[in-house]
Amino acid sequence: MAEIAFDAGTRSWLIRTAATGYALRLTEDDAPSHVYWGPALTPDQLADVLPRTKERWDAFNDPNEGLDELAADGGTRYWTPALQLRFADGTRALEWRYLDHDIDDGMLRVRFRDRHYPLRITLGYRVPAGTDVIERWTELTHDGPDGPIEVIRADSATWVVPVRPDYRISHVTGRWAAESQLLREPVPHGETTFGSRRGITGHHANPWVMLDDGEATERHGEVYSAALAWSGSWRITTTRSSTGRLTVTGGFGQDGVVPRLNPGDTLTTPVFAGLYTDGGFGAASRAWHAYALRHVLPHPDELRPVLYNSWEATGFDVTEAGQRELAKKAAALGVELFVMDDGWFGARDGDHAGLGDWHVNRDKFPGGLEPLVGEVHGLGMKFGLWVEPEMVNPDSELYRAHPDWVLHYPQRTRSELRRQLVLNFARPDVAGWAFDSLDALVGEYGIDFLKWDMNRPFSEAGWPDDGDQDRLWVEHTRAVYGIMDRLRAAHPGLRIEACSGGGGRIDFGVMARTDQVWTSDNTDSLDRLVIQHGYGQVYPARAMSAWVTDDPNFVTHRSTPLRFRFHVAMAGVLGIGGDIVEWPEEDLAYAREQIALYKEIRPVVQHGRLHRLLPPDTDGVSALQYVAADGERAVVFVFRQAAHFHTHERPVRLDGLAPSARYRDDDTGQVWHGAALLAHGLFPGLPDGDFASVVIRLTKL
């Protein structure tokens, strides 16, 4: 349990986690100001850190800029604002007045109000048990009788990074089928904003950053990181000044979208969590993974099943007989969850029609889904379905009945992507219809798993019948969360995978309501090494769906060995996505063998500690290692992507082992000293040629 203490004399709060400390205080004019973030300090030690307000040295610069706990628009500070409001009379500046605070069960709430206008502000802090993560959020309440307050920007938190000689930022970038590509680069001076204006988390960036002084490595160095738990439009802004200060502010929303607070309304922002670690990027990642497993994922102790998905085998050409044949083949391989993808509902013979009509296509399934679901359950597997509840085809029963249910403006074209329009889940009637449709589907057929897809961003994001149309950007995402929450409550056995054209909706907000996420539509194993490397900087393998698909790959048309494809996918939540009816018997036999191996190592992969030994490159060797939580077992994956020039095999140094212990290779029986594996490493024994791979299982003696 975190310790949170208030010192009335200095009007400061100190939050102490197991290994870190965080402090804030009130200035003379009641504004919340940042004090400290870093290694743990006692209250007495903090006294040496508490700053004094600095006097101005000119008329252009406030020496206290960049130290605000939540940088607000107003006064003579011109730092990037985290909070911008416009009151009913047009006034924009905020002036703080401290009210009170409370400390309860690892949570701190500090309450303020504006000195004149009817606005209350609460800054929230919480340390989940057993972590060094500090969750922060903001609540805004209109507590007056008159006029709306426009919310121009309401970030969840401003994180102030200690002054260092230089700064480097780590983040991911990408696009569809090329998500989560890790970049590490100097932090530019001025303001740099990462974000999504698409209504979803997005393929092009992801809402987290890591900051260091430019000297951190995988194993060494201080890293300051922050991750936003939000699945809609978002922005994270770094601000670096010529004085050496650096802040990170982030939250939901986007420029130009200005929702309103009406009298009595409260707006609660999503969590923007921060984490300080001293142990390099690897320690930061392992801390985020532990946080996700203990405090984010709904069923953290579960092992995710090996699944089969029918998409590559059938496309839209779905029939009951075809699905039965695939199910029998999948069960014989050892698959535990059979998922029927697109094409089972409405007039769904292609992407042009049927979305929104969530009733079984009786031409394809004359008896409904009961016979197929019964067959799958009888084969010892659970049954899952692909759905895309937020979308509708103009060629559908739903759209013809309710054309007003989509995002639109009265005098603007309704842009289509993938022949789809976006339903407005901010409308209670639309959200109610979506829940009722999915609830009936899951309940009637005994569905165990939903692959919840979302295949296009917002456009023409209007709501003509509502006086505050901009609120739909937040309320749509909240409605998605609410439907997932209600479905899970009504059907405790239901499990959900989040998908958005691949990895377009991956964040801690959606992970709190789903059991796994679809990492990318690109299943090419070479590309997946890069995608999974970026994903794993913050998010855990326990939620990372990874499939073995047909050769050549349908996205890249690259050919790779079945062994390589399996080993890459086995570093996450293993799935099979190929047309297994057409696989030769030797491939089926190998698949059975590898699925059995995965089930044996799955507890270590899904619940162990990740150590990135060698990062993936376009050629050369990469390696990663998982160590069980109790330290008794380890699994090492080694990959050779390509070999341009012949070189002798080099040892791979391991990590996370006990130097004084000995470890046995479960396949060869060879025994090594932990100290030797850490200091020198082991020769992995990669097969010759490109796209070679090996899985090494170690047991502590």
Side-chain angles (χ1 to χ4, degrees), residues 661-665 668-674 677 698-699 701:
R662 293 189 303 155
Y663 294 85
R664 183 189 65 240
D665 185 317
T668 67
Q670 186 172 353
V671 175
W672 288 279
H673 289 278
L677 293 174
L698 301 175
T699 299
L701 299 178

Side-chain angles (χ1 to χ4, degrees), residues 356-572:
D357 301 335
W358 299 110
H359 52 79
V360 179
N361 184 313
R362 292 286 172 161
D363 292 331
K364 299 179 179 183
F365 298 90
L369 292 184
E370 291 99 330
L372 177 62
V373 174
E375 172 94 2
V376 169
H377 285 162
L379 290 167
M381 299 182 293
K382 293 187 176 181
F383 183 84
L385 273 182
W386 177 93
V387 293
E388 192 170 4
E390 297 158 79
M391 297 296 145
V392 65
N393 289 126
D395 184 2
S396 66
E397 298 168 16
L398 181 71
Y399 186 76
R400 285 186 283 271
H402 300 286
D404 56 322
W405 277 14
V406 301
L407 304 181
H408 70 284
Y409 293 118
Q411 307 303 326
R412 292 291 179 263
T413 301
R414 301 186 181 194
S415 301
E416 295 181 25
L417 294 172
R418 294 172 57 99
R419 304 181 184 183
Q420 298 174 188
L421 298 170
V422 183
L423 291 167
N424 182 2
F425 271 32
R427 290 180 54 144
D429 53 350
V430 179
W433 160 85
F435 171 78
D436 290 343
S437 299
L438 296 174
D439 179 56
L441 188 66
V442 172
E444 180 178 356
Y445 295 113
I447 306 301
D448 304 297
F449 179 90
L450 290 177
K451 183 180 179 72
W452 182 308
D453 209 344
M454 200 283 192
N455 270 312
R456 60 152 294 183
F458 290 7
S459 62
E460 292 85 47
W463 184 359
D465 296 334
D466 193 79
D468 182 14
Q469 298 187 51
D470 281 357
R471 69 187 179 97
L472 75 83
W473 291 88
V474 169
E475 293 305 318
H476 181 102
T477 300
R478 292 210 190 280
V480 170
Y481 290 168
I483 293 167
M484 289 181 174
D485 291 343
R486 290 178 65 194
L487 282 172
R488 299 184 75 104
H491 308 279
L494 179 67
R495 300 295 179 261
I496 302 174
E497 177 178 276
C499 176
S500 181
R505 188 182 264 165
I506 297 176
D507 57 81
F508 284 139
V510 79
M511 280 187 176
R513 294 154 175 93
T514 58
D515 303 277
Q516 58 198 61
V517 294
W518 182 223
T519 323
S520 177
D521 282 346
N522 184 353
T523 58
D524 180 299
S525 51
L526 184 63
D527 289 348
R528 269 300 183 108
L529 285 175
V530 175
I531 292 169
Q532 293 175 187
H533 179 69
Y535 165 97
Q537 300 295 313
V538 170
Y539 305 119
R542 156 65 174 72
M544 184 179 72
S545 292
W547 293 359
V548 178
T549 56
D550 287 336
D551 190 66
N553 185 268
F554 79 101
V555 171
T556 66
H557 308 292
R558 181 186 288 120
S559 290
T560 53
L562 185 59
R563 173 188 177 110
F564 192 80
R565 282 177 272 150
F566 258 103
H567 289 173
V568 171
M570 287 162 62

